[in-house]
Amino acid sequence: MVLFSATLQPLHYTRLRLGLACLSIVANSLTAGGVFIFPMFSPVLASQLKLHQPQVTTIILAGMIGQYPFAPVVGKVIDLYGPSTCSLTAATFFFTAFISSSLEISKTSVEITKPSTSSFYRLTFFFLLAGLGTVFSYFSSLFSASKLYPTHPGLAAGTTMTLFGLSPLLLSFIGSHFFVDSSESLDAASLLKFLAILTAVIHTAGAFTFRKNFIKYADASYIESMDNEAITETSPLVTQITPVQSTLASCDGGNSQHPLKDRYFWFLALYCSITIGAAEMVISNIGTIVLSLPNRSTIVDMPFQIISSATSKHIKILSISNTASRIIVGFLADFISPVTTCLPIGTVAHPRNKRASRTVFLTIPALLLSIVFFWMELGGDDRGAVWILSVGVGISYGAIFTILPSIISAVWGGRNFGRNFGMMTYAPFVGTPLFSYLYAFVSAANSQGKAICEGSLCWRATFWVSCAACLLASYSTISFWRRWRDQV
């Protein structure tokens, strides 16, 4: 057996198949965020279906909740049956959810005066299915990318996550440009029907390109057998042209026990709960954080349009810094901290020239979060200071999600990678509500009867708690480094 450089093609894997698989990953990722453009449908549900705000909120929560709790189940499915099955399942859920929602809206008369309880329940269920479709699609793309490029897990994960993050932007652009009439009203039923067809076609195609015999040997930097040479444990390795050393070994990772029996898995879950929870608290409340502070350029009240522009600017800053972080961190992690990888044929590749432990990419985001929270305590007197918070949170959020998959795979093995990664997603499911409700209660306590809380007291206590918690999370990574430095 020999190891070839990245310029050679893997065995039984043509350029066409590689291209189609990559194209499917891109297409799946860019069309999987339909549930995140729900705000476009909110006015229609309120005006045409006469749904109250709590009902509208419940429907979108069903879409969001449909992702987190079922992630371990989806992970187990992908471990057992592969990304092809997940992509086909996503196609089924998306089509059912979107076409049913379209029919529900189109059949409801604009003449009704009271909300239909049955419509509310049905739409809640349909968006729950859309949430399930989202996580199936996400896992199918992420793990297909990991199989295609196992020597570059950080870059593969970062690129896939970046495309997934761009999905709401693309779909909202399509909706606002092609499904809005002259009166600026959204044709929600037609847009949902379009999403149903689009996601069904793309994810069904993905089911074919993600088949096991289609992605049999991935990553051109890996293994190719000599046509006339049998592969044995004593087969020579051409070490001078390969970045890794390979040995026949177990692919169960350095820790053979179940992750839930490993205290370090719980420590990592606590780390994710704190850092991701604090970051998502800021992301979901950046608008009211901005509006709580005065504008340095004027002492008079700002027009609503300018206020909206200020809020939109920070949403864009968060998005751009998050996207850039995923790409840059993925590349740097693979270059500075290559991880031990399980190869498609069952051997383990040990990296060479490891310059630092990958746990440093957990330490830095936690430290950065604590710094930007502390900065807001010291310098958060006007809206001009919030951009540092937005940049810091965006970078940290993207970095953590980019580095997590490779660490989980290297520490607890690739055999149950999907299940283990899915279990870890419960951490933000717990952390985000905790930090978000802390922010909400502190803000409400200092609102003085106003609709929007004004002044730094609206979030000062929340940011002190968040700063301390992120410092604790950063300190905890020292124990990760001591335990995992040989693996990551």
Side-chain angles (χ1 to χ4, degrees):
M1 179 177 63
V2 297
L3 296 177
F4 279 67
S5 69
T7 59
L8 298 183
Q9 289 296 319
L11 185 66
H12 304 314
Y13 203 86
T14 66
R15 291 181 182 271
L16 176 61
R17 288 183 174 183
L18 179 63
L20 289 175
C22 290
L23 184 62
S24 287
I25 291 172
V26 172
N28 275 23
S29 300
L30 287 177
T31 58
V35 70
F36 298 108
I37 65 169
F38 181 83
M40 297 183 66
F41 305 113
S42 298
V44 176
L45 299 181
S47 61
Q48 182 175 334
L49 277 68
K50 306 298 187 294
L51 297 180
H52 303 309
Q53 185 59 48
Q55 294 175 314
V56 174
T57 301
T58 301
I59 294 172
I60 184 55
L61 281 177
M64 300 301 293
I65 291 173
Q67 301 175 72
Y68 285 115
F70 296 98
V73 177
V74 179
K76 191 62 178 179
V77 170
I78 205 166
D79 288 333
L80 293 175
Y81 304 106
S84 176
T85 299
C86 281
S87 187
L88 185 60
T89 304
T92 304
F93 280 140
F94 277 143
F95 182 79
T96 303
F98 292 139
I99 200 66
S100 299
S101 299
S102 175
L103 294 173
E104 189 68 37
I105 292 174
S106 61
K107 77 175 186 179
T108 303
S109 172
V110 294
E111 304 297 329
I112 63 171
T113 57
K114 295 182 179 180
S116 170
T117 302
S118 59
S119 292
F120 162 64
Y121 287 137
R122 284 193 291 268
L123 285 171
T124 301
F125 175 69
F126 297 152
F127 270 80
L128 175 64
L129 293 182
L132 283 170
T134 302
V135 71
F136 270 102
S137 174
Y138 175 75
F139 272 54
S140 69
S141 299
L142 180 62
F143 295 116
S144 293
S146 298
K147 287 178 180 293
L148 281 170
Y149 300 101
T151 52
H152 300 86
L155 187 59
T159 303
T160 304
M161 291 176 181
T162 299
L163 293 170
F164 181 78
L166 292 175
S167 177
L169 178 63
L170 173 65
L171 296 180
S172 62
F173 175 84
I174 293 173
S176 60
H177 281 75
F178 298 102
F179 294 92
V180 173
D181 58 25
S182 57
S183 63
E184 299 298 321
S185 297
L186 177 70
D187 187 350
S190 296
L191 176 56
L192 285 166
K193 188 181 298 183
F194 168 78
L195 289 176
I197 297 172
L198 177 69
T199 53
V201 171
I202 286 178
H203 286 78
T204 300
F208 288 97
T209 56
F210 294 158
R211 287 180 303 171
K212 288 184 178 180
N213 63 338
F214 210 76
I215 306 179
K216 189 173 184 180
Y217 297 103
D219 197 333
S221 62
Y222 267 110
I223 302 166
E224 183 171 289
S225 300
M226 296 296 290
D227 290 339
N228 299 315
E229 182 177 347
I231 300 175
T232 68
E233 293 186 18
T234 58
S235 299
L237 299 176
V238 185
T239 57
Q240 65 270 22
I241 60 171
T242 178
V244 296
Q245 290 180 320
S246 179
T247 59
L248 289 174
S250 171
C251 288
D252 291 330
N255 191 346
S256 59
Q257 72 181 125
H258 193 284
L260 295 182
K261 297 180 180 179
D262 184 355
R263 61 176 179 169
Y264 288 96
F265 186 85
W266 291 100
F267 289 161
L268 183 60
L270 179 61
Y271 169 91
C272 292
S273 181
I274 291 173
T275 54
I276 297 175
E280 290 188 341
M281 175 269 294
V282 173
I283 292 171
S284 59
N285 294 286
I286 191 65
T288 53
I289 292 173
V290 171
L291 298 183
S292 69
L293 295 172
N295 185 42
R296 69 172 64 173
S297 62
T298 179
I299 59 174
V300 299
D301 291 337
M302 297 178 66
F304 174 76
Q305 291 80 0
I306 301 178
I307 291 176
S308 298
S309 176
T311 302
S312 176
K313 178 182 72 173
H314 286 279
I315 294 174
K316 293 177 181 177
I317 291 174
L318 280 164
S319 177
I320 293 171
S321 57
N322 178 24
T323 300
S325 174
R326 292 173 188 263
I327 293 295
I328 295 173
V329 169
F331 173 79
L332 286 178
D334 288 339
F335 179 73
I336 297 173
S337 309
V339 295
T340 299
T341 308
C342 180
L343 308 185
I345 63 170
T347 63
V348 172
H350 299 286
R352 287 180 173 179
N353 301 324
K354 187 175 182 179
R355 297 168 178 83
S357 170
R358 192 163 281 225
T359 56
V360 71
F361 292 98
L362 294 177
T363 306
I364 293 176
L367 275 177
L368 182 57
L369 284 172
S370 63
I371 289 171
V372 296
F373 287 134
F374 187 67
W375 157 257
M376 287 297 293
E377 298 290 351
L378 297 181
D381 297 326
D382 56 59
R383 293 175 187 170
V386 184
W387 75 268
I388 295 180
L389 175 71
S390 300
V391 171
V393 168
I395 291 174
S396 300
Y397 187 71
I400 293 169
F401 268 113
T402 300
I403 211 68
L404 264 182
S406 59
I407 288 181
I408 292 173
S409 176
V411 174
W412 289 284
R415 196 176 304 279
N416 293 297
F417 177 30
R419 180 203 64 189
N420 299 340
F421 182 70
M423 289 191 296
M424 189 57 66
T425 61
Y426 279 127
F429 184 60
V430 174
T432 299
L434 287 176
F435 281 96
S436 296
Y437 279 119
L438 174 62
Y439 173 87
F441 289 138
V442 170
S443 180
N446 292 279
S447 63
Q448 299 178 348
K450 297 181 180 179
I452 297 178
C453 182
E454 298 179 2
S456 61
L457 287 177
C458 301
W459 39 259
R460 190 171 294 278
T462 304
F463 284 4
W464 275 127
V465 173
S466 301
C467 177
C470 290
L471 280 175
L472 176 63
S474 176
Y475 178 76
S476 70
T477 60
I478 297 176
S479 64
F480 299 160
W481 174 78
R482 290 174 177 171
R483 177 67 178 86
W484 301 336
R485 57 184 171 182
D486 293 334
Q487 295 167 258
V488 298

